[in-house]
Amino acid sequence: MKRTPAKDVGEESGAAPGGIQALDAALSVLRVLRSFEGPATLSDIAREAGMPPSKVHRYLASFIHAGLAVQKERSGRYDLGREAAELGVAAISRNNFVIRASEELEELATVTGQAALLAVWSHNGPTVVRLERGPHLTTTSIGLGSTFPLLDSATGRVFLSYLPSAQLAVRLQNELERAASAGVSWPDLSPDLASVGALTMKIRRERVAYVDGRYIPGLVAISSAITNWQGEIEVAVTLFGTHRDLLEPDSPARGALIDFAARHSIVPPAQLGNSPGVPTR
């Protein structure tokens, strides 16, 4: 499925004032590639870009040389490369909410004895932009740029609870359909919108989401929302480790996490009982 790329300044005329027209055209191809939710064929990219496939192929070859794109060996489809991901993470990490929270993230990890991360919403879903391993090294594949599912990760569940439903509707529906077709359910969640609505209400009420090893076996995690003046999530702050004590309601780490998120929010989560989440239908 393809997202509609946002128009940039100067896009209507084909080139920004004082810009290089060939570069503007190349970057428009990169924006089209970004707009797909997964690898895309040359013909699909050319059609969406409104250019001949031969011309798009040359642009894509340059992007591959620069690490901005990759071509899958088996399918021949194109996707964003590592350099594109790192550019995106770098840009997102300059968000003021991220900067302020980052200044105290190491302290949170030290005080709680847990690994800690910050995640923001990107076109790939919840994405890690800061990571502190904490005093006790936790071996995990999670790193900068890692993304999480909505339904079975603590970080994803926080975005599910505090992000406006229109922003996550397509991704949520895809995850629900996959879970239903695979016969997957969770102790606190069934793959339907009514169950999701009940879970998000609970998360907003308790100001924390958690998972107990379902996403990464043996790893438990809790997450809370740093919210803006509209009561919408800007950043998720998550603690994760291997000890189940982290999930206890009276866990000191849980209290420290909630306080951290509230302190960095413009509107504390306690005041967000009516924040825009996933509606029960």
Side-chain angles (χ1 to χ4, degrees):
M1 184 174 293
K2 188 183 74 65
R3 295 164 55 249
T4 301
K7 290 186 176 181
D8 290 346
V9 176
E11 187 173 343
E12 292 290 342
S13 61
I20 302 172
Q21 190 168 4
L23 181 57
D24 289 337
L27 293 176
S28 72
V29 172
L30 192 62
R31 287 195 296 272
V32 167
L33 183 60
R34 178 203 65 191
S35 71
F36 289 90
E37 291 191 352
T41 64
L42 174 61
S43 59
D44 286 340
I45 298 169
R47 183 182 64 252
E48 295 298 329
M51 299 181 189
S54 58
K55 184 176 182 179
V56 171
H57 183 268
R58 292 195 296 272
Y59 287 139
L60 289 171
S62 293
F63 292 147
I64 290 172
H65 293 158
L68 294 171
V70 293
Q71 186 175 21
K72 306 296 183 181
E73 291 185 5
R74 292 188 177 182
S75 67
R77 291 171 178 256
Y78 296 88
D79 204 354
L80 293 173
R82 182 179 180 86
E83 285 296 326
E86 291 183 357
L87 280 173
V89 169
I92 292 170
S93 67
R94 285 161 170 76
N95 174 298
N96 285 338
F97 285 91
V98 173
I99 292 172
R100 288 195 296 269
S102 296
E103 293 174 351
E104 298 181 29
L105 190 65
E106 182 179 4
E107 181 182 356
L108 177 66
T110 300
V111 168
T112 61
Q114 307 293 329
L117 64 83
L118 301 178
V120 300
W121 184 261
S122 75
H123 73 281
N124 286 324
T127 302
V128 178
V129 292
R130 286 287 191 277
L131 181 65
E132 290 289 343
R133 295 292 181 183
H136 305 294
L137 180 63
T138 300
T139 303
T140 173
S141 60
I142 297 173
L144 295 179
S146 294
T147 59
F148 296 102
L150 293 173
L151 297 178
D152 52 5
S153 70
T155 305
R157 286 182 169 193
V158 166
F159 280 97
L160 189 62
S161 301
Y162 286 98
L163 201 66
S165 57
Q167 285 187 249
L168 49 79
V170 173
R171 185 173 298 274
L172 173 60
Q173 190 60 40
N174 288 341
E175 289 195 26
L176 287 173
E177 290 175 357
R178 286 196 296 268
S181 63
V184 174
S185 62
W186 301 266
D188 56 354
L189 180 65
S190 299
D192 60 72
L193 286 175
S195 182
V196 170
L199 177 64
T200 59
M201 289 180 64
K202 178 176 183 289
I203 291 170
R204 291 197 297 271
R205 183 172 63 251
E206 298 181 354
R207 299 163 59 191
V208 66
Y210 60 87
V211 292
D212 55 3
R214 289 185 290 268
Y215 179 54
I216 299 178
L219 202 66
V220 297
I222 58 175
S223 186
S224 192
I226 296 175
T227 54
N228 61 26
W229 50 91
Q230 292 179 299
E232 298 172 355
I233 185 170
E234 290 283 342
V235 185
V237 54
T238 303
L239 297 176
F240 61 98
T242 57
H243 298 293
R244 294 185 61 85
D245 292 349
L246 184 61
L247 304 179
E248 296 298 326
D250 58 352
S251 162
R254 176 172 174 155
L257 173 70
I258 293 173
D259 288 345
F260 181 95
R263 190 166 65 253
H264 290 281
S265 295
I266 291 181
V267 180
Q271 300 177 16
L272 301 181
N274 297 318
S275 62
V278 178
T280 302
R281 298 178 184 176

